[in-house]
Amino acid sequence: MSIHINAQPFEIAPIVLMPGDPLRAKYIADNFLQNVKQVSGTRNIYFFTGTYKDKPVTVGASGMGCPSIGIYSYELFTEYNVGCIIRIGTCGAYTTGLKLFDLVNVERAFSESTYAQCAFGFPGDHLYHEGKAYAAINATAAALKMELKKGAVHSSDVFYRSTTGTPEFAHKNDCMAVEMEAFALFANAKQLKKSAATLLTVSDIIPTHEQISADEREKALLPMMRLALETVAGM
Ligand code: HPA
């Protein structure tokens, strides 16, 4: 058991899918996995392990923001010998070039976060995905004929700010969308020589204030869940 995950070491699979929301982890476990067991419930951050097409996989939540995903992904990599974490989350599009429900595979995450500098002394304001997961997602999307955008996103430390529209930092770095976790996940994977990717569904368009409605949200995330699970099955 680690400080924040109370699973036994053998109860976590080598590949972990990581939504932000514990109930989304439960939804994936209930609807897509076989032989499922809840293996951790510390702080109601549920982790479930089961199989998808006979491949062992764990699904567990990251919580919100770099500090939270930083804790869970670090403990999974270091105390459960996890080799690969694929974050599956939502993002706000900074550009109308993206549409609601579009899927984005994050090539690199720009951030004002001090996470990577504080934790590992990594300089700079951006980090790339790590290892094979990013390419595996691209290959799986191509095989399934699913459209997938690739590029830079902003891993913001703040959800609410006094300015509207695209922050200067994101504009300068050509970030197509904003989320809040990829940067810390990539930092941990880089430091620990693990694989990490971030797959996102566009849930809101910031310039036009369009949003996926609460009713649509569950169905909206199904293509991303399917792409992530099919990627795992092929890894
Ligand atoms: N900001 C940060 N994270 C997000 C957003 C947003 O607007 N939408 C979905 N995740």
Side-chain angles (χ1 to χ4, degrees):
M1 292 196 220
S2 64
I3 294 175
H4 302 93
I5 302 171
N6 67 354
Q8 298 298 316
F10 60 87
E11 290 181 314
I12 301 277
I15 305 178
V16 175
L17 293 186
M18 187 159 258
D21 178 354
L23 292 180
R24 204 163 291 150
K26 181 165 165 37
Y27 179 88
I28 294 167
D30 289 345
N31 290 282
F32 292 102
L33 302 190
Q34 281 81 50
N35 314 306
V36 185
K37 183 180 172 196
Q38 185 184 319
V39 295
S40 183
T42 306
R43 289 175 179 246
N44 286 347
I45 295 286
Y46 308 128
F47 282 77
F48 302 89
T49 298
T51 56
Y52 180 78
K53 296 193 173 171
D54 295 329
K55 185 96 172 188
V57 60
T58 294
V59 188
S62 66
M64 289 183 280
C66 283
S68 186
I69 198 169
I71 290 169
Y72 291 106
S73 60
Y74 194 87
E75 291 182 14
L76 289 167
F77 284 144
T78 57
E79 302 200 40
Y80 290 94
N81 207 21
V82 167
C84 175
I85 297 177
I86 300 176
R87 159 165 155 70
I88 46 174
T90 58
C91 62
Y94 281 138
T95 158
T96 51
L98 288 176
K99 304 274 174 278
L100 291 179
F101 311 110
D102 276 356
L103 296 177
V104 176
N105 194 7
V106 178
E107 187 194 20
R108 56 180 171 161
F110 281 87
S111 189
E112 307 95 326
S113 165
T114 55
Y115 183 91
Q117 170 66 41
C118 280
F120 310 121
F122 293 159
D125 60 5
H126 65 275
L127 290 168
Y128 284 83
H129 69 89
E130 289 288 325
K132 295 182 295 193
Y134 172 84
I137 292 167
N138 290 340
T140 307
L144 295 173
K145 301 197 183 343
M146 292 173 79
E147 206 186 309
L148 182 62
K149 307 277 203 274
K150 295 144 209 162
V153 302
H154 180 198
S155 290
S156 180
D157 269 350
V158 298
F159 189 86
Y160 300 105
R161 56 175 76 230
S162 58
T163 56
T164 54
T166 304
E168 178 52 30
F169 175 80
H171 180 69
K172 182 178 79 185
N173 292 307
D174 217 10
C175 295
M176 64 172 117
V178 57
E179 54 88 66
M180 303 185 76
E181 292 83 16
F183 183 74
L185 174 62
F186 294 172
N188 284 349
K190 180 180 165 79
Q191 171 69 11
L192 300 167
K193 300 186 170 35
K194 304 282 188 172
S195 183
T198 293
L199 180 59
L200 303 168
T201 300
V202 175
S203 62
D204 43 282
I205 312 288
I206 290 169
T208 61
H209 307 288
E210 284 172 272
Q211 276 186 359
I212 295 178
S213 68
D215 303 352
E216 288 171 319
R217 225 162 241 272
E218 198 166 278
K219 202 170 102 237
L221 303 180
L222 290 174
M224 174 173 69
M225 292 172 184
R226 175 161 171 256
L227 176 54
L229 287 162
E230 288 294 329
T231 300
V232 171
M235 285 176 88

